[in-house]
Amino acid sequence: MAKVLVVDDKQMMRDSVTATLARDGHAPIAAEDGEMALTMIARHRPAAVVTDLKMPNMTGIELLARITKIDPDLPVILMTAYATVETAVAALKQGAFDYIQKPFEGDELVATVRRAVRHHELAVENQALKSTFSGGACPARREMIGRTTVMNQLRDQIEQVAASHGTVLISGESGTGKEIVAQTLHAASPRRDRIMLALNCAALSDSLLESELFGHEKGAFTGADQMRKGRFELADGGTLLLDEISEISLAVQAKLLRVLQERQFERVGSSVTMDTDVRIIATTNRDLEQAVRSGDFRQDLYFRLNVLPIRIPPLRARRADVPLLAEHFLMRQALRDGREAKRFDVEAIGLLMDYAWPGNVRELENICERAAVLTAGPTIVAGTIQPWLCGAVVSETDAAMPTIEGKTLEELERDVIVRTLGRFEGHRQRTAEALGIGVRTLGLKLKKWKEDRLVASTL
């Protein structure tokens, strides 16, 4: 059901057009003049506009010019009398989608509006596709693998949360699969047929992040040579994933808080307020409550984000899933390479299950891929993977305990990373590869530990 805005100063015509469009399954809204139409465009975000050409105060041509500045992709259909057909034709050259001549049949109106709505859908899909290539859309959804009790509990929680439109905060260590959980949530939600876009908040500066979120007008800043829609516009009606939400600055946090509170925003460089209907899913690998206490994160924004919290367990808390995950990753690698799937022998599986997995599922995935590529035969033995596991193992008894050799798991992770850095003489790229984590993730961990004075400032 598409929203279509009908603009005419005569109520009888407005009522007639809206009734015709409603019968065709659209959701028509009406405005009696151009100023009201501009307000409703920002408020309701229609998929097409049908406007009379001759109106007091603001003509249809003037309205077209104003709409083109706000949203050049919004199709405008002009209703015109016979005497003004030449004017309507001229309007096509100025960006109008089409015109219909009064008096017109209902079928003609419906056909024209259907084409306009489809044109708008394609324009939105095209912009979303461009966002995909710029890292703005989620990759293809991957399956949640696991049969342990904690994974079944996680699935039950996702099922409960998915039915809501509320904001979700997904927390968990790096590599636990927060993005996969977010994708699963969207796929099970009422918004499943609408787009899901993603934005990595840690990868952008404040100015770029603001532009990516809210969009910008032409000339809003140096290099803004054309108007650009932000994620809150492109994901309207769908879902927006804000990855690593803890890394945004306090200034951007304030602007994001307003969107969550009022569901309104302005593009950078614009005074036009727009409404948005987007479900927010945020992820973090940091303790946001601690960030609030330290003054790095706004408490009011935390409360707005933490409406529906989901905590993802680390891999060491579900070690029984390791063989299943390993088999899955080896099979996927085999399909990708077009060869027979390899397998771990019993001793290798035991080694994998005894490992502490500081890099979680992502580390296991990387090790499986590496082992599949570097093993000549069909079986991967323990000796192949032993050098990659950094010596961090847990016993059957200690796996369920909060400490290992007197240290917390967080301390264990820090020790493993520091030792691995020393082993590679501080080379972050090689350290990250050995641990099976991203260089950016490694850098964020080191930055936090340095700020808390838990590691040497020279790392």
Side-chain angles (χ1 to χ4, degrees), residues 22-34:
R23 284 195 296 271
D24 193 47
H26 298 291
I29 51 179
E32 62 185 26
D33 57 39

Side-chain angles (χ1 to χ4, degrees), residues 265-375:
F265 69 96
E266 292 89 28
R267 294 188 193 130
V268 177
S270 173
S271 60
V272 177
T273 300
M274 297 185 176
D275 285 11
T276 184
D277 173 26
V278 174
R279 184 183 197 177
I280 298 295
I281 300 178
T283 71
T284 180
N285 58 12
R286 291 179 58 187
D287 184 345
L288 284 188
E289 290 187 1
Q290 176 59 41
V292 169
R293 288 192 292 269
S294 63
D296 296 328
F297 205 84
R298 292 179 62 114
Q299 185 180 57
D300 45 7
L301 178 57
Y302 170 67
F303 290 147
R304 285 286 178 180
L305 291 171
N306 198 39
V307 178
L308 298 169
I310 293 179
R311 177 76 184 179
I312 304 179
L315 183 53
R316 59 183 169 273
R318 55 184 189 105
R319 291 189 307 145
D321 286 331
V322 169
L324 192 63
L325 284 162
E327 180 183 3
H328 170 77
F329 292 140
L330 290 177
M331 179 61 71
R332 194 173 67 187
Q333 182 67 27
L335 291 173
R336 186 185 302 165
D337 294 343
R339 62 177 74 176
E340 288 292 323
K342 298 179 181 180
R343 62 180 181 84
F344 289 105
D345 67 10
V346 175
E347 186 179 354
I349 287 292
L351 191 61
L352 292 176
M353 292 187 69
D354 284 340
Y355 184 52
W357 296 111
N360 290 294
V361 179
R362 186 184 297 123
E363 184 183 4
L364 174 60
E365 180 180 5
N366 290 346
I367 284 178
C368 290
E369 180 175 346
R370 191 183 312 163
V373 172
L374 299 180
T375 300

Side-chain angles (χ1 to χ4, degrees), residues 1-8 14 17-31 37 40-41 44-51 74-79 97 100 109-118 120-121:
M1 180 182 293
K3 288 183 183 177
V4 181
L5 174 61
V6 178
V7 190
D8 200 299
R14 291 198 306 272
V17 173
T18 55
T20 300
L21 294 177
R23 284 195 296 271
D24 193 47
H26 298 291
I29 51 179
M40 296 187 76
I41 288 171
H44 298 287
R45 314 285 289 283
V49 176
V50 180
T51 180
L74 179 57
V76 178
I77 301 168
L78 295 170
M79 298 183 292
F97 177 79
I100 49 178
L109 172 67
V110 165
T112 306
V113 170
R114 283 181 181 177
R115 287 191 295 106
V117 168
R118 182 55 183 157
H120 183 261
E121 290 174 348

Side-chain angles (χ1 to χ4, degrees), residues 192-248:
R192 66 179 67 89
D193 295 327
R194 305 300 296 270
I195 192 170
M196 179 181 185
L197 293 180
L199 188 63
N200 188 331
C201 300
L204 301 171
S205 65
D206 283 1
S207 58
L208 286 175
L209 180 59
E210 188 175 353
S211 176
E212 289 294 331
L213 285 172
F214 311 119
H216 63 254
E217 297 292 347
K218 181 179 180 181
F221 50 83
T222 303
D225 54 356
Q226 61 182 359
M227 186 278 288
R228 182 177 180 180
K229 294 182 180 180
R231 300 291 196 269
F232 278 107
E233 280 189 80
L234 294 175
D236 190 47
T239 302
L240 178 59
L241 170 60
L242 300 179
D243 196 18
E244 298 190 48
I245 190 74
S246 58
E247 305 309 310
I248 66 177

Side-chain angles (χ1 to χ4, degrees), residues 65 119 229 263 333 382 421:
H119 173 84
K229 294 182 180 180
R263 299 291 171 178
Q333 182 67 27
L421 271 169

Side-chain angles (χ1 to χ4, degrees), residues 65-94:
R66 295 280 295 276
I67 291 174
T68 302
K69 289 182 179 180
I70 297 173
D71 186 353
D73 295 321
L74 179 57
V76 178
I77 301 168
L78 295 170
M79 298 183 292
T80 176
Y82 175 78
T84 54
V85 168
E86 290 185 3
T87 306
V89 172
L92 295 179
K93 299 179 181 179
Q94 298 179 38

Side-chain angles (χ1 to χ4, degrees), residues 85-222:
V85 168
E86 290 185 3
T87 306
V89 172
L92 295 179
K93 299 179 181 179
Q94 298 179 38
F97 177 79
D98 205 344
Y99 73 92
I100 49 178
Q101 183 178 322
K102 297 178 182 178
F104 49 79
E105 298 292 330
D107 290 346
E108 181 184 1
L109 172 67
V110 165
T112 306
V113 170
R114 283 181 181 177
R115 287 191 295 106
V117 168
R118 182 55 183 157
H119 173 84
H120 183 261
E121 290 174 348
L122 291 173
V124 171
E125 289 172 7
N126 182 54
Q127 291 198 40
L129 184 61
K130 290 180 180 178
S131 293
T132 303
F133 287 115
S134 65
C138 289
R141 183 186 162 210
R142 292 182 289 176
E143 184 182 357
M144 289 177 57
I145 306 294
R147 298 172 183 166
T148 53
T149 300
V150 291
M151 283 301 291
N152 290 333
Q153 290 172 344
L154 178 60
R155 288 191 181 91
D156 291 342
Q157 188 178 12
I158 290 172
E159 184 178 353
Q160 288 179 308
V161 170
S164 166
H165 290 274
T167 302
V168 182
L169 179 61
I170 303 173
S171 59
E173 297 176 10
S174 295
T176 49
K178 294 185 288 294
E179 188 177 87
I180 296 176
V181 171
Q183 293 169 354
T184 305
L185 270 171
H186 174 73
S189 75
R191 298 170 184 257
R192 66 179 67 89
D193 295 327
R194 305 300 296 270
I195 192 170
M196 179 181 185
L197 293 180
L199 188 63
N200 188 331
C201 300
L204 301 171
S205 65
D206 283 1
S207 58
L208 286 175
L209 180 59
E210 188 175 353
S211 176
E212 289 294 331
L213 285 172
F214 311 119
H216 63 254
E217 297 292 347
K218 181 179 180 181
F221 50 83
T222 303

